[in-house]
Amino acid sequence: MSETLKIRRTAGALGAEIEGVDISRELSDRVIAAIRAALNAHQVIFFRDQQLTPDQQVRFGARFGPLNIHPYVAGMTDHPELMEIIKEPQDKLNFGGGWHSDMSFLERPAIGSILYAVEIPEWGGDTLFASQAAAYEALSPGLKRTLEGLKAVHSANREYSAAGHSAQKRSSMAIAEAEGLAGEYVHPVVLPHPETGRKALYVNPAFTIRFDGWTARESKPLLDFLFQHCRYEAFTCRFQWAKGSVAFWDNRSVWHFALNDYPGQRRHMRRVTVDPWPETMATGAGRRAEAVS
Ligand code: SIN
């Protein structure tokens, strides 16, 4: 197999398509390093025309770190680390249909996610991505300084509690509700990338609930400003899926949004989510949040 990757940028702020690699195969360390370098440079990378069995997707993902088992979404029976993201024609709600970065509610949040398209609708169902490094870089020096001194509290409680929107029914996905209150973990608001050092904002509308040491009411105006700012069109790219497409994004510096614009059609994806190697957690693990009233 040729091991020369062709990398083509797809938008100004982030995103690149990679050609010349069949990720279903056992790849050399050199190719894995080249893919990792492309991810570091472009924040989200795309592959086309892949054919992945569950075993092959798990094997590819595991080259980048230990794989996460989602605490609230059931994995495949034989592959608990492989999550099936399915919207049936009769479902109203899709999974991931709002800006977020995966798993920021964990003590050690995921570094990346690898999503493979098994079946896509005839039209619609694209995914948007937004560079949180570009969002950080566009802020004024004064606000950057303020944010660098802050940490934020993340929780899955809104998304995965009985009242949360992810807990509403999708016919083919088993969402386990958080028992009682899901944990609250504190992470820096500005996260230097552990491999490139490039700084990115690390708050998101799905899971960030307040600044550490601030009340939710005090936090809301600044969080609302950031949530608006971080999705400015110039920081985004849009990926149109075809069967066999793969997207691999960096959760530490990218938000994503699965568009829900294909009523009456089926969309079926499979995702593995890559955790940090314990020794490479740049921010240190998050710590449990203390209550503020
Ligand atoms: C997700 O949030 O991981 C789902 C993204 C998608 O289905 O496009």
Side-chain angles (χ1 to χ4, degrees), residues 94-98 100 125-128 256-262 267:
N94 71 335
F95 182 84
H100 65 288
D126 296 357
T127 305
L128 308 178
H256 58 284
F257 186 135
L259 290 174
N260 187 7
D261 59 351
Y262 51 99
R267 183 176 183 271

Side-chain angles (χ1 to χ4, degrees), residues 31-244:
V31 172
I32 293 293
I35 293 172
R36 183 189 285 276
L39 181 66
N40 287 340
H42 299 286
Q43 304 178 266
V44 55
I45 51 179
F46 308 108
F47 304 86
R48 297 280 186 190
D49 302 320
Q50 304 290 321
Q51 275 195 306
L52 293 180
T53 63
D55 275 339
Q56 288 165 338
Q57 188 172 353
V58 165
R59 185 178 66 194
F60 177 68
R63 297 293 298 276
F64 298 91
L67 298 183
N68 177 270
I69 298 187
H70 200 290
Y72 306 119
V73 182
M76 292 177 80
T77 312
D78 296 335
H79 296 88
E81 60 286 80
L82 197 49
M83 190 200 293
E84 299 221 77
I85 297 177
I86 301 174
K87 182 170 181 256
E88 298 289 0
Q90 69 274 19
D91 291 340
K92 295 281 178 269
L93 196 74
N94 71 335
F95 182 84
W99 284 114
H100 65 288
S101 61
D102 293 331
M103 322 303 286
S104 74
F105 53 85
L106 294 180
E107 184 177 6
R108 291 174 176 277
I111 63 170
S113 299
I114 302 170
L115 189 66
Y116 169 63
V118 178
E119 184 182 343
I120 55 134
E122 204 180 313
W123 35 259
D126 296 357
T127 305
L128 308 178
F129 297 90
S131 167
Q132 298 308 294
Y136 170 77
E137 286 156 9
L139 295 173
S140 65
L143 185 51
K144 280 182 183 156
R145 273 195 300 277
T146 299
L147 295 175
E148 297 220 17
L150 295 180
K151 294 184 184 239
V153 179
H154 297 243
S155 165
N157 202 42
R158 263 192 325 230
E159 285 294 305
Y160 296 113
S161 68
H165 97 137
S166 277
Q168 292 172 45
K169 272 264 174 285
R170 272 169 294 252
S171 325
S172 301
M173 282 185 75
I175 307 276
E177 286 175 22
E179 270 183 36
L181 283 185
E184 295 187 346
Y185 288 99
V186 172
H187 301 295
V189 169
V190 177
L191 201 59
H193 192 282
E195 288 172 65
T196 65
R198 190 177 179 196
K199 290 178 180 173
L201 288 170
Y202 193 66
V203 289
N204 70 84
F207 302 123
T208 309
I209 56 174
R210 63 177 185 275
F211 293 107
D212 187 33
W214 299 25
T215 64
R217 185 164 154 259
E218 290 165 345
S219 305
K220 190 172 181 320
L222 183 51
L223 280 179
D224 283 350
F225 166 78
L226 291 174
F227 294 160
Q228 285 297 327
H229 168 79
C230 288
R231 62 187 188 199
Y232 174 49
E233 291 83 349
F235 309 149
T236 69
C237 71
R238 177 173 183 143
F239 187 60
Q240 190 171 28
W241 297 89
K243 184 177 160 62

Side-chain angles (χ1 to χ4, degrees), residues 233-255:
E233 291 83 349
F235 309 149
T236 69
C237 71
R238 177 173 183 143
F239 187 60
Q240 190 171 28
W241 297 89
K243 184 177 160 62
S245 303
V246 172
F248 185 175
W249 61 87
D250 189 327
N251 280 304
R252 297 161 297 190
S253 63
V254 176
W255 282 3

